[in-house]
Amino acid sequence: MADSQTIDYQPDYQGPIVSVEGLRNSFGDQVVHEGLDLDVRRGEILGVVGGSGTGKSVLMRSIIGLQTPDEGEIKVFGEPLLGKAEPETIEIRKRWGVLFQGGALFSTLTVAENVMVPIREFYPDMDRDFRREVAKYKVCLSGLPPDAAPKYPSELSGGMRKRAGIARALALDPELLFLDEPTAGLDPIGAAAFDNLTKELQQTLGLTVFLITHDLDTLHAICDRVAVLADQRVIAVGTIDELLALDHPWIQEYFNGPRGRMASAGKKSLG
Amino acid sequence: MAIPSDFVEDTAEDGAVTLYFSGDLSIASVGDLPERLREYGSNVERLDISDTGYIDTVGAWLIHRTARDMEAEIVGANDDAERLIAAVAGADQPAEIRPQALNPVIRVVSEVGEATAIAFSTMSGLVGFFGAIIVAFFRLVRHPGQIRWNAVIQRFDVVGVRALGIVGLMSFLIGLVIAQQGAVQLRQFGAEVFTVNLVGRLTLRELGVLMTAIMVAGRSGSAFAAQIGTMKLTEEIDAMRTIGVSPIEALVLPRFIAAVFMLPLLGFYASIVAIIGGGLLSWAQLDIPPATFFSRIREVVPLTDVYVGLVKAPVFGAIIAITGCYQGMQVKGNAEDVGQRTTAAVVQAIFLVIVLDAFFAVFFTWIGWN
């Protein structure tokens, strides 16, 4: 275990949960990120916004190791991840969960079996019956009815599939949760319910959430801070009020456009 | 590293048993605790977790479940633990991991029934689809200006011209093998010379067209199903209908026409290449010079054999196009369905081709073309 000592669980680590420095990503001639810096603080819900093609998903994929950047430094829980082989990062990867856009559930497994996959993979010694119990309560914890557990993904609605995706992302009790456009394709009621679930889970489980979204309502409703991606980097991070004080045309248009105003008004009338 | 969880029991003077937990209560630290706690009796009054460290929902669940099963009381929980235990207690509902398995007898019977129903509905669907193609075809015959020649020519290229290489190679090898095997067997009777009859008649009458049909079913029938199925998924076909373009006319007819026209050509070409292959082998193994071989072919192969092949080929082409396009049009829902439908298209096309080939064999013998 000497190797993994360096990336052990450190409950007293108080620095940024995710820290990205000088990130550069490119596909052929097209540069997606150039000198991108971003910190995600412990316990916050950080919303990541940006126009289409500004590389929000690429940023997430870089952090979780699905995309190798050209340059830069990525630290999660204070541990640098770039340049490390997969087995070395396993202790870190146990501590995050990812919800992909379409849910990315394994179609040949039931919802409960989907939740059991990461547990079996990372904790193969866990008692089988206990693992099944864990899968069951995780399914219910994600706001799914218990009868959804033995169903296959194809039998679920879009919103339920996202919840099942959350259940699988939470399988290992991660401290950090990545959500890629969780409310895309959901009706407003489903989207609001999902926002509530995210907030509730974040508060109960003490999660840090990295949330990519286009949904202005989500930003207003649950995000503690918002990072804006434009011009190949993060041009601003802060609360929505702080961002509004900035004089950047894209930010102004985004939050002060007709939709942005509507979402903001909706928040005020609720709160 | 997470501190492994453990517990010790302590019996108070009044006989009440308390389990004192220590270490972290997390997914990484519970270890064999679930089993040990399950095997532990149930005469426990209290679970004391005041001395535990980090707790997550797995640890909270373990405590909650143990308390529930032992009807014990949880004491010494800090704020975190209390919150998490309340959360998992709220999520404690009976659920299944897998759908209820049916009684095997009922399952087998119901699966057979379902498969039968699907087989019949597929057959009637294919017939209906064929009808729709015929209707569209005659509509186009009346309005020839609307035929999409570009699409038809493009399909000719994809289905026919681009298949020449693979069909040729396959037929050449089949010709070689027939001649070689024929020569070995016929030599036992001193009748090697009949290898020529074997190669000529077998390829022109049966194998040329049949093997070509199987190859085209795998190559183009699957492509038809996958292309049309994908267009169905991306709602292109719905968009076509909305604009007033008939998908049958725009997508299915060009493929149907291409398959019907190309299969006789490919089949005849395959037969010729197979005969060349057989001729080369006869030259090498039986010392029959090519000139003699081909003049023998002309003598022993009746012209009706060529007709038999050419009559069957367009029918096979039609079957391949109909199953491919029909299965493509049946795609619903997700990408997985495209794969299944593509497989179904190829399997059904090959099956129907072979069934019809058997009927043709009986029919041609009956009318005396043997």
Side-chain angles (χ1 to χ4, degrees), chain B residues 95-328:
Chain B
E96 296 294 326
I97 300 290
R98 296 193 56 80
Q100 216 93 52
L102 283 171
N103 176 332
V105 176
I106 296 176
R107 204 184 67 223
V108 168
V109 172
S110 77
E111 272 176 19
V112 169
E114 210 172 311
T116 313
I118 289 176
F120 277 108
S121 78
T122 305
M123 280 316 293
S124 71
L126 282 174
V127 172
F129 193 69
F130 182 54
I133 294 177
I134 298 292
V135 170
F137 183 77
F138 281 108
R139 214 187 75 81
L140 279 191
V141 168
R142 273 185 291 128
H143 309 276
Q146 289 179 16
I147 299 179
R148 288 154 212 276
W149 287 113
N150 275 344
V152 174
I153 302 295
Q154 197 202 348
R155 290 299 135 198
F156 277 179
D157 176 46
V158 174
V159 175
V161 179
R162 280 162 203 252
L164 285 176
I166 186 75
V167 169
L169 179 63
M170 175 190 72
S171 306
F172 183 79
L173 292 174
I174 287 177
L176 278 185
V177 171
I178 293 173
Q180 199 263 335
Q181 292 296 319
V184 170
Q185 296 301 321
L186 292 170
R187 183 173 292 146
Q188 298 174 11
F189 313 102
E192 296 106 299
V193 74
F194 285 105
T195 305
V196 183
N197 304 40
L198 189 65
V199 171
R201 297 207 62 182
L202 202 54
T203 52
L204 276 168
R205 202 182 164 94
E206 281 294 334
L207 284 184
V209 171
L210 190 62
M211 295 308 287
T212 306
I214 290 172
M215 184 56 91
V216 172
R219 223 184 138 267
S220 301
S222 60
F224 294 169
Q227 287 159 351
I228 294 180
T230 311
M231 293 172 87
K232 192 89 195 289
L233 274 195
T234 54
E235 298 181 316
E236 272 179 72
I237 290 183
D238 293 338
M240 265 184 198
R241 285 213 177 96
T242 327
I243 298 166
V245 179
S246 151
I248 300 270
E249 278 176 31
L251 299 173
V252 178
L253 260 189
R255 290 171 168 80
F256 180 80
I257 294 171
V260 168
F261 275 86
M262 281 299 126
L263 218 78
L265 299 178
L266 278 176
F268 185 71
Y269 157 80
S271 307
I272 299 303
V273 176
I275 288 173
I276 293 173
L280 281 178
L281 193 114
S282 306
W283 190 19
Q285 273 208 341
L286 307 174
D287 290 326
I288 303 176
T292 319
F293 183 86
F294 286 110
S295 67
R296 280 289 296 158
I297 287 271
R298 286 177 56 191
E299 285 164 27
V300 301
V301 179
L303 201 55
T304 50
D305 277 6
V306 181
Y307 297 156
V308 167
L310 291 182
V311 166
K312 288 195 285 191
V315 178
F316 291 173
I319 285 178
I320 293 166
I322 292 169
T323 50
C325 296
Y326 172 74
Q327 291 294 346

Side-chain angles (χ1 to χ4, degrees), chain A residues 71-93:
Chain A
E71 281 169 31
E73 177 86 89
I74 293 172
K75 287 184 186 166
V76 179
F77 305 115
E79 296 297 331
L81 289 183
L82 289 184
K84 284 198 173 145
E86 258 188 32
E88 294 177 62
T89 59
I90 195 161
E91 290 298 322
I92 294 289
R93 286 188 288 130

Side-chain angles (χ1 to χ4, degrees), chain A residues 137-148:
Chain A
Y137 86 75
K138 298 263 172 175
V139 169
C140 299
L141 205 59
S142 308
L144 286 169
D147 63 6

Side-chain angles (χ1 to χ4, degrees), chain A residues 1 8-9 107 110 112-113 116 123 126-127 129-130 132-138 140-141 146 149-150 152 171-173 175 203-206, chain B residues 1-2 24 27-28 30-31 34-35 38 54 56-59 61-62 65 83-84 87-88 90-99 334 336:
Chain A
M1 293 302 274
D8 261 351
Y9 176 60
S107 54
T110 65
E113 285 172 329
M116 282 155 65
Y123 298 101
M126 186 187 277
D127 177 54
D129 290 336
F130 190 64
R132 297 164 77 104
E133 286 171 23
V134 170
K136 286 179 200 171
Y137 86 75
K138 298 263 172 175
C140 299
L141 205 59
Y152 287 93
L172 299 176
D173 266 274
E175 296 148 68
Q203 283 172 346
T204 346
L205 310 182
Chain B
M1 204 64 208
D24 289 338
I27 186 168
V30 291
E35 290 148 86
R38 193 178 307 119
Y54 176 75
D56 67 7
T57 68
V58 173
W61 171 260
L62 180 65
R65 188 207 69 179
R83 197 183 64 230
L84 288 176
V88 295
D92 180 9
Q93 293 173 56
E96 296 294 326
I97 300 290
R98 296 193 56 80
N334 50 28
E336 208 183 328

